[in-house]
Amino acid sequence: MVSDERLRLFCALRLPPEVVERIVAWQLAHLPSGRIVPPENLHVTLAFLGHRPAEETGAVVSALREAAAGAGGIVLRARGYRETRSVAMLMLDDEGSRAGALATGLQGLLEAAGVYRREEREWLPHLTVLRFRDRPRLRPPLPELGEISPSDAAVFISRLGPGGARYEVLETVALGGR
């Protein structure tokens, strides 16, 4: 029997705990309005797949595992703060474009598996820190994060609810075959 269950999926780099702690302290000190992204939801998205049939999760995990095996030495740094119409984000520098290569490789594998359609815009390394209805037009100082070196990535399920999305890790994979 084939299930008709659909899951809202994305693949992302997970952040080291000490980086999450620094971001949370910065959010509390400098983001007075809107809905702060909670610590457990902080990540750097590699590919957002949207609602997919549950039986495709194996293909998504396999693609992430394959792409991540060749990735390593990812170093990100906060370089700016930006607001869009509904979110605020920290823009990240991607040393050596290694995170970008991971994202591009993963997206290609997901497309080849028939579970993803690449966005027209180029992948942008960023970290969403705030959600809002009315743009607050803040100008906070950048947080002191230093080098951000994720050691793993994950496939997440995003469950939408009245208080916002709740993310659950479906499976983690090491970067660079670690």
Side-chain angles (χ1 to χ4, degrees):
M1 184 163 125
V2 176
S3 168
D4 62 353
E5 181 184 16
R6 295 179 70 78
L7 302 172
R8 193 168 185 253
L9 301 174
F10 66 94
C11 299
L13 294 169
R14 296 193 322 156
L15 303 172
E18 63 277 6
V19 172
V20 171
E21 288 173 15
R22 286 188 222 124
I23 293 168
V24 168
W26 174 82
Q27 287 172 308
L28 294 173
H30 299 288
L31 304 179
S33 59
R35 212 171 59 227
I36 288 178
V37 174
E40 63 274 12
N41 285 5
L42 294 169
H43 64 272
V44 177
T45 302
L46 297 167
F48 180 77
L49 289 84
H51 288 94
R52 303 299 310 168
E55 64 265 10
E56 291 181 0
T57 57
V60 174
V61 170
S62 293
L64 180 59
R65 186 174 288 116
E66 184 178 338
I74 291 175
V75 176
L76 304 168
R77 289 181 186 81
R79 71 169 164 86
Y81 171 87
R82 176 179 169 205
E83 293 177 0
T84 67
R85 62 178 163 65
S86 60
V87 302
M89 63 184 77
L90 291 174
M91 309 297 293
L92 303 171
D93 277 332
D94 176 13
E95 182 179 288
S97 299
R98 290 185 283 271
L102 170 59
T104 300
L106 171 63
Q107 292 168 9
L109 291 168
L110 292 168
E111 279 182 317
V115 298
Y116 179 74
R117 188 166 152 224
R118 200 178 305 240
E119 295 182 31
E120 290 187 22
R121 63 181 179 216
E122 190 175 324
W123 180 77
L124 176 70
H126 70 279
L127 176 62
T128 300
V129 293
L130 184 70
R131 297 185 183 284
F132 44 78
R133 289 195 181 176
D134 297 316
R135 193 170 164 187
R137 301 191 187 282
L138 301 172
R139 292 179 175 261
L142 286 181
E144 298 284 334
L145 302 178
E147 292 185 349
I148 303 168
S149 297
S151 60
D152 66 12
V155 176
F156 289 84
I157 299 172
S158 172
R159 300 195 190 275
L160 299 177
R166 196 171 33 89
Y167 303 150
E168 298 172 23
V169 173
L170 183 65
E171 188 154 342
T172 61
V173 300
L175 298 178
R178 287 190 252 168

